[in-house]
Amino acid sequence: MTDLRRPLISGNGLTHTFCDDNSPSQHVLTINDHPNQDSTPPTEENPNPYGVLGSDGFEAPVSTTMDPFRNQTPEIAGVYEWVKMVVMVPIALVRLVLFGLCLLIGYIATKFALHGWKDKQNPMPRWRCRVMYVTRLCSRAILFSFGYHWVKRKGKPAPREVAPILVSNHVSYIDPIFFFYESSPTIVTSESHDSMPFVGVIIRAMQVIYVNRFSYQSRKQAVNEIKRKASAHKFPRVLLFPEGTTTNGRQLISFQLGAFIPGYPIQPVVIRYPHIHFDQSWGHIALATLMFRMFMQFHNFMEVEYLPVISPSKHHKESPARFAERTGRAMASALNVIQTYHSFADYALLSKAVKAGQEKFSPFMVEMAQVQKLYHLSSSEAVDFLERFLAMNPDSSGCVEYRDFIRVLRLKHSPLSENIFGFIDVDKDGFITFKEFLVGSIHILKLPLFQRACEMAFNECDADKDHYISLFELGGSASSAIPKLTTSEVQALFELFDIDGDGKISKDDFITCLRRNPLLIAHFNHLFMHKDLEAGTGLEENV
């Protein structure tokens, strides 16, 4: 069995000795591959561990305390509500029967309309549309069963040839039911909705445009479909909810650009759900709970306002972002709310925090539209960083302490570890928030020299030039940055880098790990501190 206390490599001024976990006397690993140069990690006098990569620090954008996804009445509260529940029981049972009956009739009518129809790339034939009108009437009866006995309308829908695209804020699952009854538009929706019982069949009959929000290729295809269907008058108009998810109606969140890229005139629509005792928004509550509360209401109020058509500027080519911004301002003004930098990515982060059992969600929403604009970060990348942050066991306020930070990153208490934590702790309060961790990590990841530094670090660690880093080689390099590492600590770090678990670290493993944990690049500062990263010195492939 290999003795981890023996010298690993001798010569060229190198002496490598690990600290045995069980040894009463510690054997310190020392490295001096530049005997006449100082290669020590940053200290209190030079606290920035990423200065060698060109970083002079970062600022985490200021967050608001708003939670645009939170339902304001998640629980039944007050004497009035409980008395109403008792009174409404027999009425709710009748409503439930009506809901089930309408859903069944609509499902049968839709199946009949779809039977034998294979040409899904063209509009549904007229006789099939007439059959679908039965389903549309059923959808109005479903709204009635939920307590929407009437819907207050303001303004009028513009003709399709004037505005082929509608955009609306999205508050509840009631929104698409109303629009289906009102005009049966083509809706852009998530691929996951296709598999929903009963509803999935009706969605298919609407010739919806499916999109996977986490796939660039899927989003690109969806935009092409929006262009195709909006440009052809034979198709129904296209309806999009540009927020990408439901909110509580008290704010608008940032718009996704799918509706605005085609450059067609757009008619904005705003939906309101006035209430006193029961907030109808689909916030942090289960669908079954929301439906139950709707059944138990005497009446639910809904207001729909069609706003004036907004066209892209004709004087100069207007960017989709600018077009979306003008539309968002018009809708926010009509709703008398503000538009925040939150986005669908924040909802994805919130959902991850909910699954992890967090009781407070706002610390994990970082107004991703602003972060994505600055760093071109994808939603899936943000969720991955949140997963690592949650592993650090944040407290009830959503903050992480130093000891949990270094535990998850396989660091050891040392001046370098303190400097890494201090770099992320922008406000210097001894804790880090998820926003600090996310923005700090992405700041390092997006540095122009990051990729070069990763490649150089791998080439320098691969002492025997076999295109793999062994446990000994990684330990020798890491112990130069953080002294007195034990064998178990080196093993834990090795397992973090060994992505495929084959007992050795390939170049792909190494770079993938650093892209997932960009803060760890500071481990290897001593390998390129005295080399010219700008010129790519040392990046030539070792053959």
Side-chain angles (χ1 to χ4, degrees):
M1 190 174 198
T2 303
D3 184 359
L4 293 181
R5 289 171 294 180
R6 68 175 175 81
L8 301 179
I9 302 176
S10 299
N12 299 322
L14 302 182
T15 304
H16 302 254
T17 308
F18 289 118
C19 300
D20 194 312
D21 295 345
N22 300 316
S23 173
S25 61
Q26 292 187 326
H27 300 270
V28 180
L29 179 149
T30 59
I31 298 181
N32 185 18
D33 51 1
H34 296 284
N36 299 320
Q37 296 174 338
D38 180 16
S39 62
T40 57
T43 62
E44 293 182 1
E45 290 75 21
N46 181 27
N48 184 354
Y50 305 101
V52 68
L53 298 180
S55 170
D56 57 359
F58 71 97
E59 293 183 4
V62 177
S63 298
T64 69
T65 57
M66 297 178 181
D67 181 352
F69 309 107
R70 180 173 295 279
N71 185 290
Q72 300 299 308
T73 59
E75 298 178 354
I76 302 171
V79 175
Y80 170 79
E81 279 292 287
W82 283 108
V83 170
K84 182 183 67 178
M85 291 290 168
V86 174
V87 173
M88 285 297 298
V89 167
I91 300 175
L93 291 175
V94 174
R95 288 178 170 180
L96 182 61
V97 172
L98 175 62
F99 167 76
L101 185 62
C102 292
L103 190 62
L104 179 61
I105 294 173
Y107 175 77
I108 293 172
T110 305
K111 290 289 284 185
F112 180 74
L114 291 176
H115 182 70
W117 183 42
K118 301 185 182 301
D119 185 14
K120 303 295 176 65
Q121 293 302 309
N122 289 309
M124 181 178 283
R126 185 168 298 177
W127 75 266
R128 295 182 186 272
C129 291
R130 291 195 180 103
V131 176
M132 283 300 299
Y133 194 74
V134 175
T135 308
R136 291 174 62 183
L137 291 176
C138 287
S139 69
R140 182 62 188 93
I142 287 174
L143 290 178
F144 188 89
S145 71
F146 281 125
Y148 297 94
H149 307 126
W150 63 84
V151 176
K152 183 178 179 180
R153 294 171 175 83
K154 184 178 180 180
K156 294 182 179 180
R160 191 206 183 284
E161 57 270 18
V162 174
I165 298 177
L166 294 174
V167 296
S168 172
N169 62 317
H170 197 8
V171 180
S172 173
Y173 67 89
I174 294 298
D175 309 342
I177 298 176
F178 167 80
F179 281 115
F180 174 59
Y181 164 71
E182 183 88 339
S183 58
S184 187
T186 293
I187 295 179
V188 180
T189 187
S190 171
E191 293 175 339
S192 60
H193 292 165
D194 184 71
S195 59
M196 295 175 64
F198 292 97
V199 178
V201 173
I202 299 174
I203 286 177
R204 285 194 291 276
M206 296 171 67
Q207 292 186 274
V208 298
I209 299 171
Y210 292 114
V211 61
N212 179 352
R213 299 183 183 97
F214 296 102
S215 168
Y216 169 78
Q217 190 61 34
S218 176
R219 295 197 303 270
K220 184 178 179 180
Q221 291 175 355
V223 169
N224 290 335
E225 274 296 284
I226 293 170
K227 289 180 180 178
R228 185 177 76 89
K229 292 186 175 181
S231 62
H233 295 306
K234 56 186 179 179
F235 281 104
R237 70 176 67 207
V238 180
L239 168 68
L240 294 98
F241 299 105
E243 293 171 291
T245 186
T246 55
T247 67
N248 59 18
R250 287 170 173 77
Q251 296 92 28
L252 278 180
I253 64 175
S254 298
F255 286 175
Q256 298 182 68
L257 301 182
F260 308 96
I261 293 174
Y264 293 111
I266 284 174
Q267 183 171 31
V269 186
V270 294
I271 299 178
R272 306 178 188 88
Y273 292 89
H275 68 276
I276 298 176
H277 300 284
F278 168 53
D279 180 2
Q280 300 147 65
S281 66
W282 196 354
H284 309 325
I285 58 176
L287 176 60
T289 302
L290 190 61
M291 292 175 65
F292 170 76
R293 295 288 299 277
M294 286 182 176
F295 281 136
M296 301 300 283
Q297 288 287 107
F298 291 121
H299 174 75
N300 287 308
F301 293 90
M302 180 180 185
E303 299 176 357
V304 179
E305 181 178 359
Y306 292 90
L307 303 181
V309 174
I310 300 177
S311 300
S313 175
K314 296 179 180 179
H315 300 293
H316 60 278
K317 188 174 182 180
E318 186 175 39
S319 69
R322 173 64 179 164
F323 191 13
E325 183 182 338
R326 286 200 297 124
T327 306
R329 280 203 305 266
M331 295 174 66
S333 177
L335 289 167
N336 195 26
V337 300
I338 65 169
Q339 188 169 23
T340 71
Y341 283 110
H342 293 91
S343 71
F344 170 76
D346 284 284
Y347 186 78
L349 294 172
L350 181 151
S351 299
K352 185 71 177 180
V354 170
K355 290 180 181 178
Q358 295 294 318
E359 295 183 358
K360 294 182 179 179
F361 312 129
S362 54
F364 306 107
M365 292 182 292
V366 297
E367 295 184 281
M368 280 294 298
Q370 190 175 22
V371 176
Q372 288 174 313
K373 182 178 180 179
L374 291 172
Y375 296 105
H376 306 289
L377 176 70
S378 71
S379 301
S380 57
E381 286 178 311
V383 171
D384 289 341
F385 279 110
L386 177 58
E387 185 174 0
R388 284 186 284 285
F389 185 81
L390 292 173
M392 297 175 186
N393 191 32
D395 60 22
S396 59
S397 65
C399 296
V400 164
E401 296 180 347
Y402 170 73
R403 65 173 182 270
D404 291 314
F405 175 82
I406 63 173
R407 171 180 56 81
V408 171
L409 292 181
R410 307 294 199 275
L411 297 171
K412 181 180 181 178
H413 175 63
S414 69
L416 176 60
S417 299
E418 289 181 337
N419 287 334
I420 293 174
F421 184 84
F423 180 85
I424 298 298
D425 181 17
V426 175
D427 55 11
K428 307 305 177 188
D429 61 355
F431 299 90
I432 60 171
T433 64
F434 173 62
K435 190 163 193 175
E436 290 174 330
F437 176 71
L438 175 67
V439 176
S441 298
I442 295 301
H443 165 72
I444 299 303
L445 179 63
K446 301 298 182 178
L447 288 173
L449 297 179
F450 179 80
Q451 181 69 21
R452 291 183 178 182
C454 292
E455 295 177 1
M456 181 181 288
F458 178 84
N459 291 338
E460 293 293 323
C461 288
D462 181 18
D464 58 7
K465 309 307 178 190
D466 65 347
H467 306 292
Y468 292 97
I469 297 175
S470 67
L471 176 67
F472 295 153
E473 289 170 331
L474 181 67
S477 177
S479 296
S480 179
I482 301 179
K484 299 184 181 180
L485 283 172
T486 65
T487 55
S488 61
E489 289 166 345
V490 174
Q491 182 67 42
L493 188 62
F494 182 86
E495 291 172 356
L496 182 68
F497 276 88
D498 184 15
I499 300 295
D500 55 13
D502 62 354
K504 53 187 178 181
I505 302 172
S506 66
K507 188 173 184 177
D508 285 344
D509 287 341
F510 188 81
I511 294 178
T512 298
C513 179
L514 286 177
R515 290 191 65 82
R516 291 179 181 175
N517 306 277
L519 300 178
L520 292 181
I521 191 64
H523 260 307
F524 307 99
N525 280 350
H526 62 282
L527 298 178
F528 44 75
M529 186 173 291
H530 303 287
K531 297 184 179 181
D532 188 357
L533 282 173
E534 292 278 1
T537 303
L539 297 186
E540 297 80 16
E541 192 68 36
N542 292 308
V543 181

